[in-house]
Coordinates of all heavy atoms in Angstrom, one line a residue:
M284 N 43.6 -27.5 -11.0 CA 42.8 -26.6 -10.2 C 41.5 -27.1 -10.1 O 40.9 -27.5 -11.1 CB 42.9 -25.3 -10.8 CG 42.4 -24.2 -9.8 SD 42.5 -22.6 -10.6 CE 44.0 -22.0 -9.9
A285 N 40.8 -27.3 -8.9 CA 39.4 -27.8 -8.8 C 38.5 -26.6 -9.1 O 38.7 -25.5 -8.7 CB 39.4 -28.3 -7.3
K286 N 37.4 -27.1 -9.6 CA 36.4 -26.2 -9.9 C 35.5 -25.9 -8.6 O 35.3 -26.8 -7.8 CB 35.4 -26.8 -10.9 CG 35.9 -26.7 -12.2 CD 35.0 -27.2 -13.4 CE 35.6 -27.2 -14.7 NZ 34.7 -27.6 -15.7
T287 N 35.0 -24.7 -8.4 CA 34.1 -24.4 -7.2 C 32.8 -25.0 -7.4 O 32.4 -25.3 -8.6 CB 34.1 -22.9 -7.0 OG1 33.4 -22.3 -8.1 CG2 35.4 -22.3 -6.8
A288 N 32.1 -25.3 -6.4 CA 30.7 -25.8 -6.5 C 29.8 -25.1 -7.4 O 28.9 -25.6 -8.0 CB 30.1 -26.0 -5.0
L289 N 29.8 -23.8 -7.5 CA 29.0 -23.0 -8.3 C 29.4 -22.9 -9.8 O 28.5 -22.3 -10.5 CB 28.7 -21.7 -7.7 CG 28.1 -21.7 -6.3 CD1 27.9 -20.2 -5.8 CD2 26.8 -22.2 -6.3
T290 N 30.4 -23.5 -10.2 CA 30.8 -23.4 -11.7 C 30.6 -24.7 -12.3 O 30.7 -24.9 -13.5 CB 32.3 -23.0 -11.8 OG1 33.2 -24.0 -11.2 CG2 32.5 -21.6 -11.2
T291 N 30.2 -25.8 -11.5 CA 29.8 -27.0 -12.1 C 28.4 -26.9 -12.6 O 27.7 -26.0 -12.3 CB 30.0 -28.2 -11.0 OG1 29.0 -27.8 -10.0 CG2 31.4 -28.3 -10.5
P292 N 28.0 -27.8 -13.6 CA 26.6 -27.8 -14.0 C 25.6 -27.8 -12.8 O 24.6 -27.1 -12.9 CB 26.5 -29.0 -14.9 CG 27.8 -29.3 -15.3 CD 28.8 -28.9 -14.2
K293 N 25.8 -28.7 -11.9 CA 24.9 -28.7 -10.8 C 24.9 -27.4 -9.9 O 23.9 -26.8 -9.6 CB 25.2 -29.8 -9.8 CG 24.7 -31.1 -10.3 CD 25.0 -32.2 -9.3 CE 24.6 -33.6 -9.8 NZ 24.9 -34.7 -8.9
G294 N 26.1 -26.9 -9.8 CA 26.3 -25.5 -9.1 C 25.6 -24.4 -10.0 O 25.1 -23.6 -9.2
A295 N 25.7 -24.4 -11.2 CA 25.0 -23.4 -12.1 C 23.5 -23.5 -11.8 O 22.8 -22.4 -11.7 CB 25.4 -23.6 -13.5
I296 N 23.0 -24.7 -11.8 CA 21.5 -24.9 -11.5 C 21.1 -24.3 -10.1 O 20.2 -23.7 -10.0 CB 21.2 -26.3 -11.8 CG1 21.3 -26.8 -13.2 CG2 19.7 -26.5 -11.3 CD1 21.1 -28.2 -13.5
A297 N 22.0 -24.7 -9.2 CA 21.7 -24.3 -7.8 C 21.8 -22.7 -7.7 O 20.9 -22.1 -7.1 CB 22.7 -24.9 -6.9
R298 N 22.8 -22.1 -8.4 CA 22.8 -20.6 -8.5 C 21.7 -20.0 -9.1 O 21.0 -19.0 -8.7 CB 24.1 -20.3 -9.2 CG 24.3 -18.7 -9.3 CD 24.9 -18.2 -7.9 NE 23.9 -17.4 -7.4 CZ 24.0 -17.0 -6.1 NH1 24.8 -17.4 -5.3 NH2 23.0 -16.2 -5.7
A299 N 21.1 -20.6 -10.2 CA 20.0 -20.2 -10.9 C 18.7 -20.2 -10.1 O 17.9 -19.4 -10.0 CB 19.8 -21.0 -12.2
V300 N 18.6 -21.3 -9.3 CA 17.4 -21.5 -8.5 C 17.6 -20.5 -7.3 O 16.5 -19.8 -6.9 CB 17.5 -23.0 -7.8 CG1 16.4 -23.0 -6.8 CG2 17.1 -23.9 -8.9
I301 N 18.7 -20.3 -6.8 CA 19.0 -19.3 -5.6 C 18.6 -17.9 -6.1 O 17.9 -17.1 -5.5 CB 20.4 -19.4 -5.1 CG1 20.5 -20.6 -4.3 CG2 20.6 -18.1 -4.3 CD1 22.0 -20.9 -3.9
D302 N 19.0 -17.6 -7.3 CA 18.7 -16.3 -8.0 C 17.2 -16.1 -8.2 O 16.7 -15.1 -8.0 CB 19.4 -16.1 -9.4 CG 20.8 -15.9 -9.1 OD1 21.4 -15.6 -8.1 OD2 21.6 -16.0 -10.2
E303 N 16.5 -17.2 -8.5 CA 15.1 -17.2 -8.8 C 14.3 -17.0 -7.5 O 13.4 -16.1 -7.3 CB 14.6 -18.4 -9.4 CG 13.1 -18.4 -9.8 CD 12.6 -19.6 -10.6 OE1 13.5 -20.3 -11.3 OE2 11.4 -20.0 -10.5
I304 N 14.8 -17.6 -6.5 CA 14.2 -17.5 -5.1 C 14.4 -16.0 -4.6 O 13.5 -15.3 -4.2 CB 14.8 -18.5 -4.1 CG1 14.3 -19.9 -4.4 CG2 14.5 -18.1 -2.7 CD1 15.0 -20.9 -3.7
D305 N 15.6 -15.5 -4.9 CA 15.9 -14.1 -4.5 C 15.0 -13.1 -5.2 O 14.4 -12.2 -4.6 CB 17.4 -13.8 -4.8 CG 18.3 -14.4 -3.8 OD1 17.8 -14.9 -2.8 OD2 19.6 -14.4 -4.0
E306 N 14.7 -13.3 -6.5 CA 13.9 -12.5 -7.3 C 12.4 -12.6 -6.8 O 11.7 -11.6 -6.6 CB 13.9 -12.8 -8.7 CG 13.1 -11.9 -9.6 CD 13.5 -10.4 -9.5 OE1 14.7 -10.1 -9.3 OE2 12.7 -9.6 -9.7
E307 N 12.0 -13.9 -6.5 CA 10.6 -14.1 -6.0 C 10.5 -13.4 -4.6 O 9.4 -12.7 -4.3 CB 10.4 -15.5 -5.9 CG 10.1 -16.1 -7.2 CD 9.8 -17.6 -7.2 OE1 9.5 -18.1 -6.0 OE2 9.8 -18.2 -8.3
T308 N 11.5 -13.4 -3.8 CA 11.4 -12.8 -2.5 C 11.4 -11.3 -2.6 O 10.6 -10.6 -2.0 CB 12.7 -13.2 -1.6 OG1 12.7 -14.6 -1.4 CG2 12.7 -12.5 -0.2
R309 N 12.1 -10.7 -3.5 CA 12.1 -9.3 -3.8 C 10.7 -8.9 -4.3 O 10.2 -7.8 -3.8 CB 13.2 -9.0 -4.9 CG 13.3 -7.6 -5.2 CD 14.4 -7.3 -6.3 NE 14.3 -5.9 -6.8 CZ 13.6 -5.6 -7.9 NH1 12.9 -6.7 -8.5 NH2 13.5 -4.4 -8.4
A310 N 10.3 -9.7 -5.2 CA 8.9 -9.3 -5.8 C 7.8 -9.3 -4.7 O 7.0 -8.5 -4.6 CB 8.6 -10.2 -6.9
H311 N 8.0 -10.4 -3.8 CA 6.9 -10.5 -2.7 C 7.0 -9.4 -1.7 O 6.0 -8.7 -1.3 CB 7.2 -11.7 -2.0 CG 6.3 -12.0 -0.7 ND1 4.9 -12.2 -0.9 CD2 6.6 -11.9 0.5 CE1 4.4 -12.4 0.3 NE2 5.4 -12.1 1.2
R312 N 8.1 -8.9 -1.5 CA 8.5 -7.8 -0.5 C 7.9 -6.4 -1.2 O 7.3 -5.7 -0.5 CB 9.8 -7.6 -0.2 CG 10.4 -8.7 0.7 CD 11.9 -8.6 1.0 NE 12.1 -7.3 1.7 CZ 13.3 -6.7 1.8 NH1 14.3 -7.1 1.2 NH2 13.3 -5.6 2.6
L313 N 8.1 -6.3 -2.6 CA 7.6 -5.2 -3.2 C 6.1 -5.1 -3.2 O 5.5 -4.1 -3.1 CB 8.1 -5.1 -4.7 CG 9.6 -4.7 -4.8 CD1 10.0 -4.9 -6.2 CD2 9.8 -3.3 -4.4
R314 N 5.5 -6.3 -3.4 CA 4.0 -6.4 -3.3 C 3.5 -6.0 -2.0 O 2.4 -5.2 -1.8 CB 3.5 -7.8 -3.8 CG 3.6 -8.0 -5.2 CD 2.9 -9.4 -5.6 NE 3.4 -10.5 -5.0 CZ 4.4 -11.3 -5.4 NH1 4.9 -10.9 -6.5 NH2 4.8 -12.4 -4.7
A315 N 4.2 -6.5 -0.9 CA 3.7 -6.1 0.5 C 3.8 -4.6 0.7 O 2.9 -4.0 1.3 CB 4.6 -6.9 1.4
V316 N 4.9 -4.0 0.2 CA 5.1 -2.5 0.4 C 3.9 -1.8 -0.4 O 3.4 -0.9 0.2 CB 6.5 -2.0 -0.1 CG1 6.5 -0.5 -0.3 CG2 7.5 -2.5 0.9
H317 N 3.6 -2.2 -1.6 CA 2.6 -1.6 -2.3 C 1.2 -1.8 -1.6 O 0.5 -0.9 -1.7 CB 2.6 -2.2 -3.8 CG 1.5 -1.5 -4.6 ND1 1.7 -0.4 -5.1 CD2 0.4 -2.0 -5.0 CE1 0.6 0.0 -5.9 NE2 -0.2 -1.0 -5.9
F318 N 1.0 -2.9 -1.1 CA -0.3 -3.2 -0.4 C -0.4 -2.2 0.8 O -1.5 -1.7 1.0 CB -0.4 -4.7 0.0 CG -1.7 -5.0 0.8 CD1 -2.8 -5.2 0.2 CD2 -1.4 -5.0 2.2 CE1 -4.0 -5.5 0.9 CE2 -2.7 -5.3 2.9 CZ -3.9 -5.4 2.3
R319 N 0.6 -2.2 1.5 CA 0.5 -1.3 2.8 C 0.3 0.2 2.2 O -0.5 0.9 2.8 CB 1.9 -1.4 3.5 CG 1.9 -2.6 4.3 CD 3.0 -2.6 5.4 NE 4.4 -2.4 4.9 CZ 5.1 -3.4 4.3 NH1 4.7 -4.6 4.5 NH2 6.3 -3.1 3.9
Y320 N 0.9 0.6 1.2 CA 0.7 2.0 0.6 C -0.7 2.2 0.4 O -1.4 3.1 0.6 CB 1.8 2.1 -0.5 CG 1.4 3.4 -1.2 CD1 1.8 4.7 -0.7 CD2 1.0 3.3 -2.5 CE1 1.5 5.8 -1.5 CE2 0.7 4.6 -3.2 CZ 1.0 5.8 -2.7 OH 0.7 6.9 -3.4
E321 N -1.2 1.2 -0.6 CA -2.6 1.3 -0.9 C -3.7 1.3 0.1 O -4.6 2.0 0.1 CB -2.9 0.1 -1.9 CG -2.3 0.3 -3.4 CD -2.7 1.4 -4.1 OE1 -4.0 1.8 -4.1 OE2 -2.0 2.1 -4.8
R322 N -3.3 0.5 1.2 CA -4.3 0.4 2.3 C -4.1 1.8 3.1 O -5.2 2.2 3.6 CB -3.8 -0.7 3.2 CG -4.6 -1.0 4.5 CD -6.0 -1.4 4.1 NE -6.8 -1.2 5.3 CZ -8.1 -1.3 5.3 NH1 -8.7 -1.5 4.1 NH2 -8.8 -1.1 6.3
R323 N -3.1 2.3 3.2 CA -2.9 3.6 3.9 C -3.7 4.6 3.1 O -4.3 5.5 3.9 CB -1.5 4.0 4.1 CG -1.1 5.1 4.9 CD 0.3 5.3 5.1 NE 0.6 6.4 5.9 CZ 1.8 6.9 6.0 NH1 2.8 6.3 5.5 NH2 2.0 8.0 6.8
L324 N -3.6 4.7 1.8 CA -4.4 5.8 1.0 C -5.8 5.5 1.2 O -6.6 6.5 1.4 CB -4.0 5.6 -0.4 CG -2.6 6.1 -0.9 CD1 -2.4 5.9 -2.3 CD2 -2.4 7.6 -0.4
H325 N -6.2 4.3 1.3 CA -7.7 4.0 1.4 C -8.1 4.4 2.8 O -9.2 5.1 2.9 CB -7.8 2.4 1.4 CG -9.3 2.1 1.5 ND1 -10.2 2.1 0.7 CD2 -9.8 1.5 2.7 CE1 -11.4 1.7 1.2 NE2 -11.2 1.3 2.4
D326 N -7.4 4.3 3.9 CA -7.7 4.8 5.2 C -7.7 6.3 5.1 O -8.6 6.8 5.8 CB -6.7 4.2 6.2 CG -6.8 2.8 6.4 OD1 -7.8 2.2 6.0 OD2 -5.8 2.2 7.1
I327 N -6.8 6.9 4.5 CA -6.9 8.4 4.4 C -8.0 9.0 3.7 O -8.6 10.0 4.1 CB -5.5 8.8 3.7 CG1 -4.3 8.7 4.7 CG2 -5.6 10.4 3.4 CD1 -3.0 8.8 3.9
E328 N -8.3 8.4 2.5 CA -9.4 8.7 1.8 C -10.8 8.5 2.6 O -11.6 9.4 2.5 CB -9.5 7.9 0.5 CG -8.5 8.4 -0.5 CD -8.4 7.6 -1.7 OE1 -9.1 6.4 -1.7 OE2 -7.7 7.9 -2.7
G329 N -10.8 7.4 3.3 CA -12.0 7.3 4.2 C -12.2 8.3 5.2 O -13.3 8.8 5.4
R330 N -11.1 8.6 5.9 CA -11.2 9.7 6.9 C -11.6 11.0 6.2 O -12.4 11.9 6.7 CB -9.9 9.7 7.7 CG -9.6 8.7 8.7 CD -8.5 9.0 9.5 NE -7.3 9.2 8.8 CZ -6.3 8.3 8.5 NH1 -6.6 7.0 8.8 NH2 -5.3 8.7 8.0
Y331 N -11.0 11.3 5.0 CA -11.4 12.6 4.3 C -13.0 12.5 4.0 O -13.4 13.6 4.4 CB -10.7 12.6 3.0 CG -11.1 13.6 2.0 CD1 -10.9 14.9 2.2 CD2 -11.9 13.2 0.9 CE1 -11.3 15.9 1.3 CE2 -12.4 14.1 0.1 CZ -12.1 15.5 0.2 OH -12.6 16.4 -0.7
F332 N -13.5 11.5 3.5 CA -14.9 11.5 3.3 C -15.8 11.7 4.5 O -16.8 12.4 4.5 CB -15.2 10.3 2.4 CG -14.9 10.4 1.1 CD1 -14.0 9.4 0.5 CD2 -15.1 11.4 0.2 CE1 -13.6 9.3 -0.9 CE2 -14.7 11.4 -1.1 CZ -13.8 10.5 -1.6
E333 N -15.3 11.1 5.5 CA -16.0 11.2 6.8 C -16.0 12.7 7.3 O -17.0 13.2 7.8 CB -15.5 10.2 7.9 CG -15.7 8.8 7.6 CD -14.9 7.9 8.6 OE1 -14.2 8.4 9.5 OE2 -15.0 6.7 8.5
D334 N -14.7 13.2 7.3 CA -14.6 14.7 7.7 C -15.4 15.7 6.8 O -16.0 16.6 7.3 CB -13.1 15.1 7.7 CG -12.3 14.4 8.8 OD1 -13.0 13.8 9.7 OD2 -11.1 14.5 8.7
Q335 N -15.4 15.3 5.5 CA -16.2 16.2 4.6 C -17.6 16.1 4.9 O -18.4 17.1 4.8 CB -15.9 15.7 3.1 CG -16.5 16.6 2.2 CD -16.3 16.1 0.8 OE1 -16.3 14.8 0.5 NE2 -16.0 17.0 -0.2
A336 N -18.2 14.9 5.1 CA -19.5 14.7 5.4 C -19.9 15.4 6.7 O -21.0 16.1 6.8 CB -19.9 13.3 5.6
Q337 N -19.0 15.4 7.8 CA -19.3 16.0 9.0 C -19.3 17.6 8.8 O -20.1 18.3 9.4 CB -18.3 15.7 10.1 CG -18.5 16.2 11.5 CD -19.9 15.8 12.0 OE1 -20.1 14.6 12.1 NE2 -20.6 16.7 12.4
A338 N -18.4 18.1 8.0 CA -18.4 19.5 7.7 C -19.6 19.9 7.1 O -20.1 21.0 7.4 CB -17.1 19.9 6.9
R339 N -20.1 19.2 6.1 CA -21.4 19.5 5.5 C -22.5 19.5 6.4 O -23.3 20.4 6.3 CB -21.6 18.6 4.3 CG -22.7 18.8 3.4 CD -22.9 17.8 2.3 NE -21.8 17.7 1.5 CZ -21.0 16.6 1.3 NH1 -21.4 15.5 2.1 NH2 -20.0 16.4 0.6
A340 N -22.5 18.5 7.2 CA -23.7 18.5 8.2 C -23.7 19.6 9.1 O -24.6 20.2 9.4 CB -23.6 17.1 8.9
D341 N -22.5 20.0 9.7 CA -22.3 21.2 10.5 C -22.7 22.5 9.8 O -23.4 23.3 10.3 CB -20.8 21.3 11.0 CG -20.4 20.3 11.9 OD1 -21.2 19.4 12.4 OD2 -19.2 20.1 12.0
Y342 N -22.4 22.5 8.5 CA -22.7 23.7 7.7 C -24.2 23.8 7.6 O -24.8 24.9 7.8 CB -22.0 23.5 6.3 CG -22.5 24.6 5.3 CD1 -22.1 26.0 5.4 CD2 -23.3 24.2 4.3 CE1 -22.5 26.9 4.4 CE2 -23.7 25.1 3.3 CZ -23.4 26.4 3.4 OH -23.8 27.3 2.5
L343 N -24.8 22.7 7.2 CA -26.2 22.6 6.9 C -27.0 23.0 8.3 O -28.1 23.7 8.3 CB -26.7 21.4 6.3 CG -26.2 21.1 4.9 CD1 -26.6 19.8 4.4 CD2 -26.8 22.2 3.9
R344 N -26.5 22.5 9.3 CA -27.1 22.7 10.7 C -27.0 24.2 11.0 O -28.0 24.8 11.4 CB -26.4 21.9 11.7 CG -27.0 22.1 13.1 CD -26.2 21.4 14.2 NE -24.8 21.4 14.2 CZ -24.0 22.5 14.5 NH1 -24.7 23.6 14.9 NH2 -22.7 22.5 14.4
E345 N -25.9 24.8 10.8 CA -25.7 26.2 11.0 C -26.6 27.1 10.1 O -27.3 28.1 10.6 CB -24.3 26.7 10.9 CG -23.4 26.2 11.9 CD -21.9 26.6 11.8 OE1 -21.8 27.8 11.6 OE2 -21.0 25.9 12.0
I346 N -26.9 26.7 8.9 CA -27.7 27.4 8.0 C -29.1 27.2 8.4 O -29.8 28.4 8.5 CB -27.5 26.8 6.5 CG1 -26.1 27.1 6.0 CG2 -28.6 27.4 5.7 CD1 -25.8 28.6 5.8
A347 N -29.5 26.1 8.9 CA -30.8 25.9 9.4 C -31.1 26.7 10.6 O -32.1 27.3 10.7 CB -31.1 24.4 9.7
E348 N -30.2 26.8 11.5 CA -30.3 27.6 12.7 C -30.5 29.2 12.4 O -31.3 29.8 12.9 CB -29.1 27.5 13.6 CG -29.0 26.2 14.3 CD -27.7 26.0 15.1 OE1 -26.8 26.9 15.1 OE2 -27.5 24.9 15.6
I349 N -29.7 29.6 11.3 CA -29.8 31.0 11.0 C -31.1 31.2 10.3 O -31.8 32.2 10.6 CB -28.6 31.4 10.0 CG1 -27.2 31.3 10.8 CG2 -28.9 32.6 9.4 CD1 -26.1 31.4 9.9
E350 N -31.5 30.3 9.4 CA -32.8 30.5 8.7 C -34.0 30.4 9.8 O -35.0 31.1 9.6 CB -33.0 29.4 7.7 CG -32.0 29.7 6.5 CD -32.3 31.0 5.7 OE1 -33.4 31.3 5.6 OE2 -31.2 31.6 5.3
G351 N -33.8 29.6 10.8 CA -35.0 29.4 11.8 C -35.0 30.6 12.7 O -36.1 30.9 13.2
A352 N -33.8 31.3 12.8 CA -33.8 32.5 13.7 C -34.3 33.7 13.0 O -34.7 34.7 13.7 CB -32.4 32.8 14.2
S353 N -34.5 33.7 11.7 CA -35.0 34.9 11.0 C -36.4 35.2 11.2 O -37.2 34.4 11.2 CB -34.6 34.8 9.4 OG -33.2 34.7 9.3

């Protein structure tokens, strides 16, 4: 009975290399997903601080108008 290509010593090495490449590909994809997630959070936080600053400015403007009308 003939051995298959992946059960020979060279085949085992090839399989190990393929497994390593698959693991590196998986790790790279996970890093990409994590980067997109972190970038999205950064964008959300940026908009939050901008909205908060605008709300504060509107609040202070309204207070100034009321105080000026008194």
